[in-house]
Amino acid sequence: MRLSRYFLPVLKETPAEAQIVSHRYMLRAGMIKQASAGIYTWLPLGFKVLKNIENIVHEEQARAGHIPMLMPTIQSAELWKESGRYDDYGQEMLRITDRHDRDMLYGPTNEEQITDVFRSNVSSYKDLPLTLYQVQWKFRDEIRPRFGVMRGREFFMKDGYNFDLTKEDALHAYNRHLVSYLRTYERMGLQAIPMRADGGPIGGDYTHEFLVLAETGESEVFYDSQITDLKFGDREIDYDNVEQCQAVLEEFTSRYARTDETHDEAIFNEVPEERRRSARGIEVGQIFYFGTKYSEAMGATVQGPDGAKVPVHMGSHGIGVSRLLGAIIEASHDDKGIIWPEGVTPFHCGIVNLKQGDAEADEACEAIYKSLTALGLEPLYDDRNERAGGKFATMDLIGLPWRITVGPRGLKNGVVELTSRRTGESEELPPEQAIARIA
Ligand code: ATP
Ligand code: MG
Ligand code: MG
Ligand code: MG
């Protein structure tokens, strides 16, 4: 992409309404624009990162054997009356009446809708196990939308639902989700710690929230510092292997790690004092096993091997896709701007031409642009007639992992400058070597 043809409405001033750094940088970098309280337009740069995050979610769900689909955002209230949640959900649910006076709502989550799909189409245990998911917009009329996309009213969420014959099978599905989420967050450059959470209105003992530690997080968390040494890494995993998935769950959840809702001072005090931590965290996902709560209420049954009809065991599993942009920036930035992890960056490399219009510099930039593109990388070429200082400031703000700076002086010696956004270190190299370093 050439910056002269792109749409990157960078702000010079720091927007006064933004209280935390991720919100400030997302506004300043021209990633989002507030449309109304808690509702955002995703400008091209923000949209690109949002899609990168969504793609990682899809890839990891596919690896786990989960099946993508798409449900509507507007739902009929009927299903929610069946489950009993229409009255329970309260004011966070945006209720809508259509022209025929039918009660509708903008979905805050989809347990009812997916259970309806299931009961209409599945009647035998032979079709199980089944895990369906979507990445779709949700609406919750949050009492205090704030921190930009972190607590929006409209937000993008991956929500997945497993259907199993037995509790044991459903717990394997739970473990599969835990493993796939660990991989998902790590690919985004994040450490998200599974913490024992509260079932809330959904209920049940089996639920973990995934938290990214950050001072600006809204959750209070307590954990054994050993947990931060755990890494999933690139180990091989067979998602059908029950013992293997169970072992990962045990490895990642055996140490003390709880949100304030489940925190237990007495148990926490058994952790050696020097390892006890209390901190703040951002909830970027949650997994649940809730048994037959919805299947019983809504008649989602299958015929078991013995011919008897039984309600299916279910769980639901969510990732806050749009919140993740904020969480990643909170975890990875400096005073100049965002520092994107390689896995989610909107462009792989910035090219800064120090002297636009200089035949040699222009030609060298074009050649670098072509080489990077041919390697399957996406460069952002700042080909505007601007001062070098302004170009550098923009590149630092939008946080691409690499910058190649091209100017007549370097070219005389056959070199360009390669700068790492994360370390800030620069090196002079022949263009081919700079390209090889990035690829
Ligand atoms: P929170 O405790 O932050 O209100 P939640 O527990 O109500 O979140 P879930 O129902 O578990 O949310 O939804 C799954 C994920 O969706 C959350 O882990 C979070 O990452 C994301 N999410 C929830 N509410 C919002 C919101 N208002 N804005 C952005 N993302 C959200
Ligand atoms: Mg909530
Ligand atoms: Mg929560
Ligand atoms: Mg939650």
Side-chain angles (χ1 to χ4, degrees):
M1 179 59 65
R2 286 154 213 277
L3 201 41
S4 63
R5 298 183 201 168
Y6 199 45
F7 182 63
L8 185 73
V10 164
L11 305 181
K12 292 243 155 52
E13 251 84 286
T14 297
E17 77 271 23
Q19 296 167 275
I20 62 170
V21 69
S22 57
H23 188 195
R24 277 200 293 278
Y25 283 157
M26 286 185 78
L27 290 170
R28 281 194 50 214
M31 296 177 68
I32 51 168
K33 180 190 183 304
Q34 184 175 311
S36 57
I39 303 179
Y40 291 87
T41 293
W42 293 79
L43 300 172
L45 192 74
F47 182 61
K48 219 157 183 299
V49 180
L50 186 70
K51 286 289 152 185
N52 288 347
I53 291 174
E54 182 187 357
N55 284 341
I56 292 176
V57 170
H58 281 301
E59 284 173 18
E60 293 305 326
Q61 290 306 299
R63 212 189 282 274
H66 304 158
I67 305 165
M69 60 182 287
L70 191 62
M71 290 178 270
T73 52
I74 306 284
Q75 304 182 20
S76 159
E78 291 310 314
L79 289 174
W80 288 72
K81 288 176 183 163
E82 263 188 71
S83 74
R85 280 209 294 183
Y86 191 62
D87 293 326
D88 293 351
Y89 215 92
Q91 290 196 299
E92 246 185 48
M93 181 187 277
L94 181 66
R95 293 156 209 260
I96 306 163
T97 310
D98 73 9
R99 68 199 297 164
H100 302 294
D101 258 346
R102 279 185 292 243
D103 291 331
M104 311 290 287
L105 57 100
Y106 196 120
T109 177
N110 284 59
E111 281 81 5
E112 285 77 358
Q113 203 164 214
I114 195 76
T115 305
D116 183 49
V117 170
F118 182 88
R119 70 179 174 187
S120 314
N121 295 288
V122 182
S123 53
S124 164
Y125 76 97
K126 289 178 189 149
D127 294 324
L128 305 182
L130 180 66
T131 295
L132 300 168
Y133 80 94
Q134 66 170 353
V135 183
Q136 176 63 296
W137 294 96
K138 306 289 185 292
F139 196 96
R140 294 182 188 173
D141 202 355
E142 301 278 355
I143 188 163
R144 268 190 82 197
R146 59 179 186 158
F147 299 164
V149 299
M150 292 260 247
R151 184 164 299 283
R153 293 197 297 162
E154 186 185 56
F155 61 99
F156 207 35
M157 194 219 279
K158 173 263 171 183
D159 46 323
Y161 307 87
N162 67 283
F163 301 91
D164 290 277
L165 182 62
T166 63
K167 176 175 180 183
E168 202 185 2
D169 291 348
L171 289 179
H172 173 53
Y174 184 89
N175 296 351
R176 254 191 347 256
H177 281 89
L178 181 119
V179 175
S180 67
Y181 282 21
L182 290 172
R183 284 187 56 101
T184 302
Y185 298 122
E186 279 192 16
R187 281 187 60 186
M188 297 172 190
L190 282 178
Q191 178 167 49
I193 304 170
M195 298 204 180
R196 187 199 271 241
D198 184 43
I202 292 181
D205 274 347
Y206 298 89
T207 180
H208 284 91
E209 284 177 1
F210 288 78
L211 285 116
V212 172
L213 299 175
E215 276 164 32
T216 49
E218 292 186 282
S219 310
E220 195 179 6
V221 299
F222 302 85
Y223 62 96
D224 177 340
S225 66
Q226 276 191 343
I227 204 154
T228 56
D229 298 334
L230 295 176
K231 236 186 156 41
F232 189 81
D234 51 12
R235 60 179 102 168
E236 284 292 318
I237 184 96
D238 171 3
Y239 280 102
D240 289 331
N241 185 325
V242 172
E243 292 77 32
Q244 211 183 13
C245 291
Q246 175 69 24
V248 175
L249 172 106
E250 279 163 21
E251 179 185 348
F252 280 83
T253 63
S254 60
R255 291 176 185 76
Y256 192 95
R258 297 191 183 195
T259 62
D260 55 356
E261 290 159 344
T262 56
H263 178 56
D264 183 322
E265 205 62 38
I267 307 176
F268 190 47
N269 286 338
E270 289 167 21
V271 177
E273 192 174 357
E274 70 280 6
R275 298 203 327 241
R276 270 180 244 153
R277 300 280 186 283
S278 70
R280 303 203 67 85
I282 302 166
E283 181 192 331
V284 292
Q286 185 164 13
I287 54 177
F288 273 107
Y289 161 74
F290 47 70
T292 56
K293 174 175 163 136
Y294 296 92
S295 54
E296 272 183 53
M298 296 180 65
T301 56
V302 292
Q303 206 155 37
D306 59 0
K309 271 190 174 181
V310 289
V312 287
H313 287 258
M314 292 174 60
S316 68
H317 317 277
I319 294 181
V321 174
S322 52
R323 178 178 287 180
L324 273 164
L325 277 95
I328 292 168
I329 297 171
E330 289 297 321
S332 184
H333 67 268
D334 63 14
D335 56 2
K336 293 185 195 140
I338 302 163
I339 305 175
W340 290 117
E342 304 261 356
V344 301
T345 187
F347 297 94
H348 296 100
C349 171
I351 304 171
V352 169
N353 189 343
L354 292 177
K355 200 162 183 201
Q356 204 67 44
D358 175 272
E360 245 186 284
D362 290 3
E363 202 183 306
C365 287
E366 293 293 337
I368 292 168
Y369 188 92
K370 281 210 184 94
S371 303
L372 287 168
T373 308
L375 288 167
L377 300 172
E378 226 182 329
L380 179 67
Y381 171 23
D382 192 343
D383 59 344
R384 299 168 306 162
N385 259 322
E386 288 242 347
R387 291 179 307 107
K391 289 189 177 186
F392 289 150
T394 300
M395 284 296 175
D396 284 341
L397 175 63
I398 68 172
L400 312 183
W402 297 102
R403 186 184 80 210
I404 296 180
T405 309
V406 181
R409 203 179 314 157
L411 288 176
K412 278 211 181 72
N413 303 317
V415 296
V416 295
E417 190 187 53
L418 177 69
T419 309
S420 154
R421 176 68 182 85
R422 192 167 292 280
T423 65
E425 278 162 27
S426 292
E427 239 185 297
E428 297 208 317
L429 296 166
E432 317 78 63
Q433 281 182 30
I435 291 162
R437 196 67 71 78
I438 295 168

